[in-house]
Coordinates of all heavy atoms in Angstrom, one line a residue:
P44 N -1.0 12.2 8.4 CA -0.3 12.0 9.6 C -0.8 10.8 10.4 O -1.9 10.3 10.1 CB -0.6 13.3 10.4 CG -1.8 13.9 9.7 CD -1.8 13.4 8.3
S45 N -0.1 10.4 11.4 CA -0.4 9.3 12.2 C -1.8 9.5 12.8 O -2.2 10.5 13.3 CB 0.6 9.1 13.3 OG 0.3 7.9 14.1
G46 N -2.6 8.4 12.8 CA -4.0 8.5 13.4 C -5.1 9.0 12.6 O -6.2 9.2 13.0
C47 N -4.8 9.4 11.3 CA -5.8 10.0 10.5 C -6.7 9.0 9.7 O -7.5 9.3 8.9 CB -5.2 11.0 9.5 SG -4.3 10.2 8.2
G48 N -6.5 7.7 10.1 CA -7.5 6.7 9.5 C -7.0 5.9 8.3 O -7.8 5.2 7.7
K49 N -5.7 6.0 8.0 CA -5.2 5.3 6.8 C -5.4 3.8 6.9 O -6.0 3.1 6.0 CB -3.8 5.7 6.5 CG -3.5 7.1 6.5 CD -2.0 7.5 6.2 CE -1.1 7.0 7.2 NZ -1.2 7.7 8.5
S50 N -4.9 3.2 8.0 CA -5.0 1.7 8.1 C -6.4 1.3 8.3 O -6.8 0.3 7.7 CB -4.2 1.3 9.3 OG -2.8 1.5 9.1
T51 N -7.2 2.1 9.0 CA -8.6 1.8 9.1 C -9.3 1.7 7.8 O -10.1 0.8 7.5 CB -9.3 2.8 10.0 OG1 -8.6 2.9 11.3 CG2 -10.8 2.5 10.3
N54 N -8.4 -1.5 6.2 CA -9.0 -2.6 6.9 C -10.5 -2.7 6.5 O -11.0 -3.8 6.4 CB -8.9 -2.4 8.4 CG -7.5 -2.6 8.9 OD1 -6.7 -3.2 8.2 ND2 -7.1 -2.1 10.1
Q83 N 3.7 -3.6 7.1 CA 5.0 -3.0 7.5 C 6.1 -4.1 7.6 O 7.2 -3.8 7.3 CB 4.9 -2.3 8.8 CG 4.2 -0.9 8.7 CD 3.9 -0.3 10.0 OE1 3.7 -0.9 11.0 NE2 4.0 1.0 10.0
D155 N 0.3 -1.2 3.2 CA 0.3 -0.3 4.4 C 1.7 0.0 4.9 O 2.2 -0.8 5.7 CB -0.6 -1.0 5.5 CG -1.0 0.1 6.6 OD1 -0.5 1.2 6.5 OD2 -1.9 -0.2 7.4
E156 N 2.2 1.1 4.6 CA 3.5 1.6 5.0 C 4.6 0.5 4.9 O 5.3 0.1 5.9 CB 3.5 2.1 6.4 CG 2.4 3.2 6.6 CD 2.7 4.2 7.7 OE1 3.9 4.5 7.8 OE2 1.8 4.6 8.4
V187 N -0.5 3.0 1.4 CA -0.6 4.0 2.5 C 0.8 4.3 2.9 O 1.7 3.5 3.1 CB -1.3 3.3 3.7 CG1 -1.0 4.0 5.0 CG2 -2.8 3.3 3.4
Ligands
LIG2 MG1 -1.6 2.8 10.0

Side-chain angles (χ1 to χ4, degrees):
S45 185
C47 70
K49 304 181 298 294
S50 296
T51 303
N54 289 341
Q83 285 177 324
D155 196 350
E156 306 208 37
V187 162

